[in-house]
């Protein structure tokens, strides 16, 4: 009766371990490639530049985060509208996959395209919602869209299930926007999105953000928003530049221990009086 020698058993075990190691390495490389592709999609789909408007300063910060080895689909955007106003949007696609990153591009491009037809924020979100439903995608997105009139400082805002924005004025007032909002985009047919009107006053700021900035394992969303309100209030009183405030706000994502992407857009007025 023959028996394998211990050395033969050891060689077989080492061979199996080597095969499993090689397989694990191939899977890790595949997953890494998927993450790199998703990040590349995100970067290519986000705007390279912000509109230049006298008296108005726009600053953005974006911090991709990992949930496991996947990435999310947050975005920010700012562009000129046919009526001379500026369209501002931030949003967050459900999920953390390449599909989410690609869907983010569809939503952002859809908003831009439909804004050439109507720039009224509530109607724009309603039309975008209908468009996404017609595509039959399984994903949905939260979003805030604002229309800024640079000559008057008026802001019209509509939200689709998204975290509210933060505002602050140079005289020391600050808070969280209280607009009603509607459901996320791509969920409910015929959804309506109420419009709330604000005013960007001399030296004031508005901070649009995604929930990765204000919500995580270390902090709930209300606590996170309070932190941003504090930062915005200090910045407005001190006359801090929009870029510096955006950098300070994105650091809040580190404090909340976020596991999601984090996007911040700061809209500031440089101190010149807007026209009445």
């Amino acid at each position: 009766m023959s028996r394998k020698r211990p050395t033969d058993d050891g060689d077989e075990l080492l061979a199996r371990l080597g095969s499993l190691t090689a397989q694990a390495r191939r899977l890790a490389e595949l997953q890494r490639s998927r993450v790199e592709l998703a990040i590349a999609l995100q970067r290519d789909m986000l705007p390279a530049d912000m509109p230049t408007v006298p008296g108005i300063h726009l600053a953005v910060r974006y911090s991709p985060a990992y949930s496991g080895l996947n990435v999310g689909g947050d975005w920010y955007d700012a562009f000129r509208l046919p009526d001379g106003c500026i369209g501002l949007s931030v949003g967050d696609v459900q999920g953390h996959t390449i599909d989410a990153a690609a869907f983010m591009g569809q939503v952002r491009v859809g908003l831009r395209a439909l804004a050439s037809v109507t720039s009224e924020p509530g109607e724009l979100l309603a039309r975008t919602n209908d468009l996404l439903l017609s595509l039959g995608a399984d994903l949905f997105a939260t979003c805030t869209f604002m229309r800024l009139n640079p000559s008057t400082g008026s802001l019209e805002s509509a939200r689709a299930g998204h975290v509210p924005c933060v505002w602050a004025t140079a005289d020391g007032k600050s808070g969280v926007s209280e607009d009603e909002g509607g459901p996320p985009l791509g969920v409910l047919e015929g959804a309506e999105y109420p419009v709330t009107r604000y005013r960007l006053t001399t030296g004031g700021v508005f901070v649009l953000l995604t929930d990765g900035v204000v919500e995580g394992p270390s902090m709930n969303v209300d606590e996170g928003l309070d932190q941003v309100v504090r930062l915005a209030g200090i910045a407005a009183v001190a006359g801090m530049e929009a870029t510096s405030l955006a950098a300070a706000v994105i650091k809040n994502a580190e404090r909340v221990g976020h596991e999601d992407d984090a996007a911040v857009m700061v809209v500031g007025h440089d101190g010149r009086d807007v026209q009445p």
Side-chain angles (χ1 to χ4, degrees):
M1 183 176 178
S2 61
R3 296 179 59 189
K4 288 186 179 181
R5 292 178 300 171
T7 54
D8 293 337
D9 292 340
D11 291 343
E12 181 179 350
L13 178 59
L14 288 174
R16 290 181 63 186
L17 287 174
S19 176
L20 290 172
T21 300
Q23 182 180 4
R25 185 181 296 113
R26 288 193 297 270
L27 290 173
E29 290 174 352
L30 176 61
Q31 186 68 2
R32 187 180 302 111
S33 297
R34 292 179 61 193
V35 171
E36 291 172 354
L37 174 59
I39 291 175
L41 281 171
Q42 287 176 316
R43 289 174 177 169
D44 289 344
M45 290 176 184
L46 293 175
D49 300 300
M50 295 286 100
T52 301
V53 183
I56 302 297
H57 295 281
L58 301 174
V60 294
R61 289 292 185 275
Y62 186 83
S63 176
Y66 298 88
S67 176
L69 289 177
N70 290 320
V71 295
D74 289 21
W75 82 86
Y76 60 83
D77 201 6
F79 53 94
R80 292 184 179 275
L81 297 167
D83 60 4
C85 292
I86 302 297
L88 309 165
S89 73
V90 294
D92 182 2
V93 174
Q94 167 235 3
H96 298 84
T97 63
I98 294 177
D99 290 341
F103 189 69
M104 174 266 283
Q106 290 180 309
V107 179
R108 177 176 165 261
V109 171
L111 281 167
R112 279 204 177 210
L114 291 171
S116 64
V117 179
T118 176
S119 62
E120 197 275 335
E123 185 178 354
L124 176 57
L125 289 187
R127 292 193 179 209
T128 304
N129 178 63
D130 292 341
L131 173 63
L132 296 179
L133 286 171
S134 71
L135 296 175
D138 294 330
L139 298 174
F140 63 84
T142 66
C143 174
T144 292
F145 184 86
M146 284 186 165
R147 179 170 64 182
L148 168 64
N149 186 328
S151 65
T152 65
S154 66
L155 274 166
E156 297 171 294
S157 173
R159 285 195 300 134
H162 199 67
V163 62
C165 66
V166 168
W167 58 270
T169 59
D171 60 1
K173 298 177 182 178
S174 58
V176 177
S177 65
E178 297 180 353
D179 42 322
E180 180 180 348
L185 301 175
V187 173
L188 180 64
E189 186 175 353
E192 296 183 355
Y193 300 91
V195 175
T196 304
R197 290 167 175 81
Y198 301 97
R199 186 176 176 85
L200 180 62
T201 57
T202 301
V205 295
F206 272 78
V207 183
L208 290 73
L209 42 79
T210 58
D211 58 3
V213 179
V214 293
E215 183 177 23
S218 303
M219 196 176 296
N220 64 45
V221 64
D222 291 331
E223 293 171 332
L225 284 170
D226 286 343
Q227 292 289 331
V228 178
V229 168
R230 182 181 63 82
L231 290 171
I234 293 172
V237 171
M240 184 184 296
E241 293 185 356
T243 52
S244 299
L245 175 56
V249 172
I250 201 69
K251 285 186 175 296
N252 202 63
E254 300 175 6
R255 289 192 287 271
V256 303
H258 73 125
E259 298 175 346
D260 197 359
D261 290 3
V264 173
M265 177 185 292
V266 174
V267 186
H269 193 274
D270 68 1
R272 292 190 318 169
D273 289 331
V274 295
Q275 298 299 316

